[in-house]
Amino acid sequence: MKPFTYSRAASVQEAAQTAASVQGARFIAGGTNLLDLMKLQIETPTHLIDVNHIGLNRIEATDEGGLRIGALVRNTDLAANEVVRRDYAVLSRALLAGASGQLRNKATTAGNLLQRTRCPYFYDTRMPCNKRKPGSGCAAMKGISRGLAIIGTSDACIAQHPSDMAVAMRLLDANVETVTADGTRRSIPIADFHLLPGDTPHVEHRLTPGELIAAVTLPPPIGGTQVYRKVRDRASYAFALVSVAAVFGEDGSARFAFGGIAPKPWRVDAADAAVGSGPKAVADAALAGAQPTAQNAFKQGLTARTLASLFRQKEARA
Amino acid sequence: MKFDRPATANPIDRGRVVGIAHDRIEGAAKVTGTAPYAYERHDAAPNAAYGWIVGSAIAKGRIAAMDLTAAEVAPGVLGVVTHQNAGPLGKGNMNTAHLLGGPAVEHYDQAVALVIADTLENARDAARLLRIDYRAEQGRFDLAADRDRAAKPEDGFGGPADTSAGDFDAAFGRAAVQIDQSYTTPDQSHAMMEPHATTAAWNGDRLTLWTSNQMVAWAVGDMARTLKIPKDRIRVVSPYVGGGFGGKLFLRADALLAALGARAVGRPVKVAIARSQIPNNTTHRPATIQRIRIGADKDGVIDAIAHEVWSGDLPGGEPETAAMQTRLLYRGDHRRTAHRLATLDLPEGNAMRAPGEAVGMLALEVAMDELAETCGVDPVELRIRNDVQYDPEVGPKRPFSSRKFVECLRQGAARFGWEQRDSRPGQKRDGRWLVGMGMAAAFRNNLVASSGARVGVDAQGRVTVETDMTDIGTGSYTIIGQTAAEMMGVPLEAVTVRLGDSRFPVSSGSGGQFGGNSSTAGVYAACVALRTKLAERAGFPAEQVIFEDGLLRLGNQSRPLAAVAGPDGLWAEDRIEFGDLTERYAQATFGAHFCEVGVDIDTAEVRIRRMGGAFAAGRILNPKSARSQVIGAMTMGAGAALMEELQVDTRFGFFVNHDMAEYVVPVHADIPEQDVLFVEELDDKSSPMKAKGVGELGICGAGAAIANAIYNATGIRLRDYPLTIDKLIERAEGSALA
């Protein structure tokens, strides 16, 4: 770990101002990803701004009938929240499919959105990796790629986004609310929040330097049957090979979002529209243009199969 | 004590303490954090500095230049050890590659430097400042590609590389039923909970290592050879080991570099191998390719069986002896086994829990399932038909010392409810789950190793045992205490057990499932010597005196143990030496695994629903810790079957998934109820304890039972481990999967 300085912010404004004024500063909340990355010198901040004491830890109704989730709400608390469980069950289920109880106790809403890929080459600093060291190349593309992305990738990077929570939020059309040092607030639709790798895989989201996530807001509840299905190499505590968040409406409509297969939570309008044609059609629409490797091509079939499982369960309930 | 004739009645047979389920006697210390592990010896080395290992960034080649300047002046840095300043180093007998590399690099993450600093963070940070100029060379990293280059290895630990009897080719050619299949198993990591760790301190020219090692005497010997100093200047202390599974049989880089670091900076140094370094820096279980051919009659009775195995290792390394069980498990007059070894430049392959059988049984027991299906014979019945009570390569003149294989099959099947299985695959459904049952034999050789101990009685009648035996989580403390308590006629609470110190008599150590039986036999021998001394002192004839209830008793006379020991106490030392009973008798442990799985009809996720087994391993010294050994091994078998694989990058020559996030092992949610039945057995030819090994038996065959259950559930026969979702859905067409 490179030496770094540390300060504890007392307010949102102070946190944002410190971030703007100190080159190389990073916010730290739960630290469940950042600290690991710092030990490996994949992240080398000069200064850590502890944001654990600036509020932002409430879950409250919005005027529009939705829900505002403070950036520092812990994953455990969010999953257990009564309103979330009742009106946004897919979010609760996605959270509980992620990590372990101990990690969820520490991990925060904003931190979860910003967690970094699990590509094994990203984690070994002796290997080329365009995401870790721009321009150094990608060792994964012709290497061990079984767990990596099959769609939304580029010639520079095939890393996958590891979050479960973000997949559910993408399904729910959440908005990411931010604040900057000068007090400017903005709301970024989650669809636009994460960036595809393109030529700059090290740039993963739209936040500007020093910009702080204050909350994630959910639109009013959409009802329906909400499910999250995560398929992985063991029964618990593993990242998704494929995950699917779905809402099946009473009227036969549906929404689908996918994890484990793309550099960001993956959602395609055409996939939602294909619900009437069955799981294979939904998968085909979601994965149109996929460019898998030989090692991870199975994720295409597995995506269709995971959807088929959800359709089967829905029909069994009906 | 020489053990060269079958044991007769002895005090262990009383079964007052031995054979009774006991909590582990060091358990409270472990769960309260007061059992000190190697990296936590603040008591012994309070001023220890921290070492951080720098691993090679290439798999093969040379270091052209090293620039230490930036690291040496970094905050808190006390020194940097490299091949340039370490002085002349030898190599341990048990090491294939050098523990400190350079200028030649033999494998990825081979240690090439140790940075020592006042804190772990400073050492780790400075390690990044080393500038190492490598000259990479092309290596060989792909077993499948190099299979044809594999050569017959020298006869090794497990015996000859090849064996044969009868005329396999002719018999196989004329067999009514022929099975000829190939199987593969991947490289695997021990993934023990406690990483390799050592605290080292020098006092003048004397070195003390507080370390985590399964074999104390080997560590002393190999450290002496590596540092080129006499053995008597080295003390190794390893009282608590947080899991080893074979990964800590040998002196490793943590120990050598802690010693070199401590010498370089003139104060104690401690080194733990980082989790992400363990797969490539230390040893692993090598991958195998296995071909099995079985020729049988239409009723499944085997006439011909052949098992050929290919594995790879660094130059000078050894093969994975995966055909070992096929030499002994089933009948057949015409037989052949062969091991071939390819030279690879991957990290060092070596022993992992049940080396040989653990992966050999993954192949053999699926082949047997295939034979059962082909012949239309129930898999349990098939194995009963092919039971053999003698070494089938030698004939009836070499019988088994004890073999309750058929009893295990029958009792295990009854207890599991095997009769409910539908032999046709893909027939049983429970909601979204395809449900199947599978079984496999369990087989592991019974090895024995000479083992010493000393035992004393003090003036209070308290018994103390000292031996360099280790407890790697297995329960050695408790069974050694039980043995001494039984022999000396005192309760277990009156025994103190001290382990893992090279100042104590040399034991068998922990490995190859020989430790439990061998080390307690050594304690038995020392107790016999102590009983003789005490009897003499009491004036009783040693052969007739009975030790019980803290007394020496002869007829209606008795003397308290404490009084006979006297104010200074009394000690005796001896060791068990094994004669040729392992030659005259085939010795092995047996069992039967049963498993029920569910396979998701859409996603092909596999969930184990039940595991059960029956096992015969001689006297079970402590049923509680023996059960823990078996269920732990069954869990490891589940990992081997379903998920564990070190993924080889054949371009760079290393294991890519080198952390616990990416090298997945079973978690609680993967493992259901596990049922273990011990079939009653005493083996008088194994040791005076009449016990055999049990620490590895449970892994041997467990994964094959799972594979066979998956076949029964789905109709998909996978032969390349681990049996992951991608492989199942690739074969979905024509199966019971949707």
Side-chain angles (χ1 to χ4, degrees):
Chain A
M1 195 180 309
K2 270 197 176 338
F4 58 90
T5 52
Y6 167 92
S7 64
R8 178 181 288 183
S11 68
V12 173
Q13 192 182 16
E14 185 191 337
Q17 281 169 353
T18 308
S21 62
V22 182
Q23 188 82 24
R26 291 290 306 269
F27 301 118
I28 184 164
T32 57
N33 193 207
L34 181 60
L35 292 179
D36 284 350
L37 293 166
M38 287 171 65
K39 290 174 189 173
L40 295 164
Q41 290 198 7
I42 294 164
E43 298 262 15
T44 53
T46 58
H47 182 75
L48 286 186
I49 305 160
D50 184 339
V51 294
N52 283 297
H53 306 275
I54 61 170
L56 304 184
N57 56 358
R58 289 203 304 275
I59 302 171
E60 55 201 1
T62 64
D63 296 342
E64 294 75 32
L67 205 62
R68 174 176 287 106
I69 302 158
L72 291 162
V73 173
R74 307 288 154 171
N75 287 178
T76 295
D77 297 331
L78 183 56
N81 181 271
E82 203 177 315
V83 178
V84 173
R85 283 162 55 95
R86 186 187 64 213
D87 295 337
Y88 305 97
V90 66
L91 178 58
S92 184
R93 291 185 167 130
L95 281 159
L96 293 175
S100 66
Q102 293 89 336
L103 287 167
R104 293 193 297 267
N105 287 343
K106 287 295 286 179
T108 62
T109 305
N112 191 319
L113 284 178
L114 296 175
Q115 69 181 297
R116 307 202 67 189
T117 185
R118 300 304 308 191
C119 175
Y121 296 95
F122 175 73
Y123 278 83
D124 191 328
T125 51
R126 291 162 293 188
M127 286 291 125
C129 172
N130 288 323
K131 185 183 280 296
R132 178 169 28 78
K133 192 175 175 191
S136 61
C138 173
M141 219 164 281
K142 293 193 166 112
I144 301 298
S145 58
R146 180 174 175 271
L148 302 182
I150 59 172
I151 193 163
T153 55
S154 73
D155 290 343
C157 185
I158 59 170
Q160 86 285 34
H161 196 273
S163 175
D164 294 297
M165 181 198 80
V167 176
M169 287 181 168
R170 177 70 187 88
L171 185 84
L172 295 168
D173 284 333
N175 286 286
V176 182
E177 296 191 355
T178 70
V179 58
T180 52
D182 61 7
T184 307
R185 293 180 174 271
R186 63 170 175 155
S187 179
I188 309 169
I190 194 166
D192 302 331
F193 181 78
H194 295 101
L195 299 172
L196 292 178
D199 297 333
T200 55
H202 59 291
V203 184
E204 296 176 350
H205 51 71
R206 284 200 192 280
L207 296 177
T208 56
E211 189 172 7
L212 177 70
I213 297 175
V216 174
T217 55
L218 303 178
I222 54 172
T225 302
Q226 304 194 3
V227 290
Y228 189 77
R229 183 68 184 280
K230 181 178 183 182
V231 180
R232 43 188 155 174
D233 281 322
R234 62 183 168 195
S236 176
Y237 196 34
F239 293 96
L241 294 169
V242 169
S243 70
V244 180
V247 176
F248 292 101
E250 303 282 325
D251 58 358
S253 70
R255 291 186 193 184
F256 303 97
F258 303 86
I261 60 167
K264 58 186 278 188
W266 196 249
R267 188 157 169 221
V268 175
D269 290 344
D272 296 356
V275 62
S277 306
K280 179 74 169 57
V282 173
D284 287 347
L287 299 179
Q291 288 187 300
T293 66
Q295 286 189 9
N296 66 21
F298 77 93
K299 288 189 174 190
Q300 294 180 105
L302 186 58
T303 301
R305 288 176 164 278
T306 307
L307 284 161
S309 183
L310 293 181
F311 275 66
R312 190 190 297 278
Q313 283 171 268
K314 175 180 71 84
E315 280 152 23
R317 274 197 210 96
Chain B
M1 177 185 286
K2 183 91 172 167
F3 182 72
D4 52 9
R5 277 172 304 177
T8 52
N10 68 41
I12 299 296
D13 294 325
R14 294 188 295 191
R16 293 185 181 183
V17 193
V18 171
I20 310 294
H22 289 281
D23 291 346
R24 58 183 67 215
I25 58 177
E26 84 290 12
K30 283 181 173 168
V31 298
T32 55
T34 52
Y37 286 79
Y39 203 70
E40 304 167 335
R41 293 309 297 260
H42 313 292
D43 56 329
N47 62 332
Y50 294 80
W52 185 264
I53 293 173
V54 178
S56 169
I58 62 167
K60 188 181 185 188
R62 295 184 70 76
I63 293 172
M66 300 181 95
D67 180 356
L68 314 182
T69 321
E72 282 171 337
V73 300
V77 170
L78 303 168
V80 180
V81 174
T82 72
H83 72 279
Q84 293 168 333
N85 62 14
L89 295 176
K91 194 174 80 172
N93 286 351
M94 302 294 176
N95 297 128
T96 305
H98 293 83
L99 298 177
L100 175 61
V105 169
E106 294 160 289
H107 62 85
Y108 194 82
D109 247 338
Q110 182 178 27
V112 293
L114 183 79
V115 179
I116 306 131
D118 55 347
T119 66
L120 176 74
E121 290 75 15
N122 278 337
R124 187 171 57 194
D125 184 38
R128 296 282 173 159
L129 302 175
L130 257 58
R131 291 288 161 261
I132 305 175
D133 184 13
Y134 294 100
R135 295 284 181 271
E137 294 165 21
Q138 182 58 50
R140 312 195 77 85
F141 308 118
D142 187 344
L143 175 63
D146 269 33
R147 171 180 171 159
D148 293 340
R149 293 167 178 266
K152 182 179 171 184
E154 287 174 27
D155 295 350
F157 187 67
D162 294 1
T163 60
S164 68
D167 183 344
F168 171 78
D169 289 326
F172 182 72
R174 66 174 175 256
V177 177
Q178 296 176 337
I179 299 294
D180 181 356
Q181 291 293 352
S182 289
Y183 307 83
T184 63
T185 63
D187 298 284
Q188 296 173 344
S189 186
H190 306 83
M192 71 295 278
M193 199 182 296
E194 180 204 24
H196 305 69
T198 300
T199 303
W202 291 86
N203 184 0
D205 61 0
R206 296 188 176 271
L207 171 65
T208 302
L209 298 164
W210 296 271
T211 190
S212 182
N213 193 292
Q214 299 173 226
M215 305 291 287
V216 167
W218 289 7
V220 171
D222 271 355
M223 184 60 96
R225 273 180 279 273
T226 307
L227 291 179
K228 301 178 185 284
I229 63 173
K231 283 204 283 191
D232 61 11
R233 291 193 199 150
I234 299 168
R235 181 181 172 203
V236 168
V237 186
S238 178
Y240 298 106
V241 179
F245 307 121
K248 294 175 182 167
L249 285 168
F250 319 113
L251 187 77
R252 295 301 315 171
D254 56 307
L256 175 63
L257 289 169
L260 292 173
R263 191 162 69 183
V265 303
R267 65 188 258 196
V269 167
K270 59 182 184 178
V271 177
I273 301 180
R275 179 63 68 185
S276 60
Q277 295 173 329
I278 288 176
N280 288 291
N281 175 274
T282 73
T283 61
H284 66 279
R285 190 202 299 279
T288 66
I289 300 169
Q290 304 181 45
R291 182 187 185 195
I292 293 178
R293 284 174 288 171
I294 306 175
D297 69 16
K298 61 179 175 35
D299 298 321
V301 177
I302 298 170
D303 188 41
I305 186 164
H307 194 160
E308 296 154 275
V309 180
W310 292 261
S311 63
D313 202 357
L314 289 165
E318 294 197 12
E320 180 68 22
T321 54
M324 294 294 285
Q325 71 289 320
T326 309
R327 295 173 179 172
L328 289 166
L329 186 47
Y330 296 118
R331 64 181 290 170
D333 290 341
H334 307 284
R335 354 185 22 103
R336 177 189 298 161
T337 67
H339 297 99
R340 292 293 175 268
L341 178 63
T343 300
L344 297 179
D345 299 300
L346 288 171
E348 179 172 335
N350 218 314
M352 180 167 143
R353 200 175 200 172
E357 285 98 322
V359 288
M361 292 293 279
L362 285 173
L364 177 64
E365 289 303 291
V366 172
M368 286 297 283
D369 204 60
E370 301 190 57
L371 177 64
E373 188 183 39
T374 306
C375 297
V377 177
D378 179 84
V380 173
E381 172 61 24
L382 179 82
R383 286 163 174 86
I384 292 171
R385 285 181 193 176
N386 286 296
D387 185 47
V388 59
Q389 291 292 317
Y390 52 82
D391 177 344
E393 286 187 345
V394 176
K397 69 182 179 200
R398 188 175 187 239
F400 278 94
S401 59
S402 60
R403 175 168 167 136
K404 294 208 166 171
F405 182 38
V406 172
E407 290 84 343
C408 290
L409 288 163
R410 292 212 164 105
Q411 293 179 36
R415 197 168 157 111
F416 192 75
W418 178 252
E419 74 284 353
Q420 292 158 28
R421 171 180 179 265
D422 189 329
S423 63
R424 299 166 302 157
Q427 300 300 309
K428 192 173 173 195
R429 183 83 183 267
D430 176 9
R432 65 186 171 101
W433 299 99
L434 301 166
V435 179
M437 285 165 72
M439 62 81 54
F443 175 95
R444 171 67 174 148
N445 243 325
N446 182 57
L447 305 170
V448 292
S450 176
S451 195
R454 60 174 170 250
V455 183
V457 183
D458 68 12
Q460 284 72 46
R462 186 158 191 89
V463 173
T464 298
V465 186
E466 294 179 341
T467 163
D468 85 354
M469 178 61 185
T470 49
D471 187 322
I472 63 172
T474 41
S476 309
Y477 277 102
T478 310
I479 57 172
I480 283 171
Q482 288 174 266
T483 302
E486 193 78 79
M487 290 299 289
M488 304 314 298
V490 299
L492 182 56
E493 295 71 28
V495 181
T496 298
V497 181
R498 296 198 186 116
L499 300 183
D501 190 325
S502 59
R503 289 177 171 173
F504 301 153
V506 173
S507 74
S508 61
S510 297
Q513 83 168 8
F514 53 67
N517 180 38
S518 302
S519 70
T520 53
V523 173
Y524 170 94
C527 286
V528 168
L530 181 60
R531 286 163 58 113
T532 303
K533 277 192 179 177
L534 285 161
E536 280 169 7
R537 191 175 274 189
F540 291 162
E543 291 73 34
Q544 292 168 38
V545 67
I546 292 167
F547 287 74
E548 61 183 11
D549 304 330
L551 303 168
L552 283 72
R553 196 169 271 154
L554 182 71
N556 51 14
Q557 305 177 61
S558 69
R559 298 274 312 275
L561 193 59
V564 178
D568 298 331
L570 194 60
W571 284 81
E573 179 175 337
D574 198 5
R575 55 190 307 106
I576 192 85
E577 304 276 3
F578 292 93
D580 64 352
L581 288 170
T582 53
E583 299 301 318
R584 284 155 56 197
Y585 297 90
Q587 296 196 12
T589 57
F590 295 88
H593 288 283
F594 297 86
C595 178
E596 182 177 271
V597 302
V599 182
D600 187 287
I601 191 165
D602 291 305
T603 62
E605 295 159 283
V606 177
R607 295 287 180 268
I608 301 170
R609 300 184 146 205
R610 291 191 292 143
M611 299 178 93
F615 304 91
R619 188 194 306 275
I620 299 302
L621 303 173
N622 180 354
K624 185 169 184 180
S625 54
R627 177 180 181 278
S628 291
Q629 283 298 293
V630 172
I631 64 172
M634 287 162 80
T635 301
M636 221 162 176
L642 297 177
M643 61 193 83
E644 290 186 46
E645 175 178 17
L646 287 168
Q647 295 165 327
V648 183
D649 187 314
T650 54
R651 304 162 304 166
F652 296 103
F654 76 118
F655 301 127
V656 174
N657 52 336
H658 52 67
D659 63 34
M660 295 299 289
E662 301 297 322
Y663 184 84
V664 289
V665 299
V667 294
H668 282 284
D670 291 298
I671 303 301
E673 179 64 27
Q674 295 170 314
D675 179 61
V676 176
L677 172 72
F678 289 113
V679 172
E680 216 164 291
E681 182 180 76
L682 295 177
D683 191 325
D684 60 359
K685 300 166 193 77
S686 172
S687 86
M689 303 301 293
K690 303 173 188 172
K692 293 191 280 193
V694 77
E696 300 182 336
L697 178 61
I699 192 175
C700 301
I706 295 166
N708 294 337
I710 291 172
Y711 176 74
N712 184 242
T714 62
I716 300 172
R717 181 73 76 186
L718 295 179
R719 300 184 183 87
D720 298 301
Y721 292 94
L723 314 179
T724 45
I725 287 167
D726 45 333
K727 294 172 187 169
L728 282 165
I729 63 177
E730 190 179 309
R731 296 270 305 278
E733 201 170 316
S735 78
L737 286 180

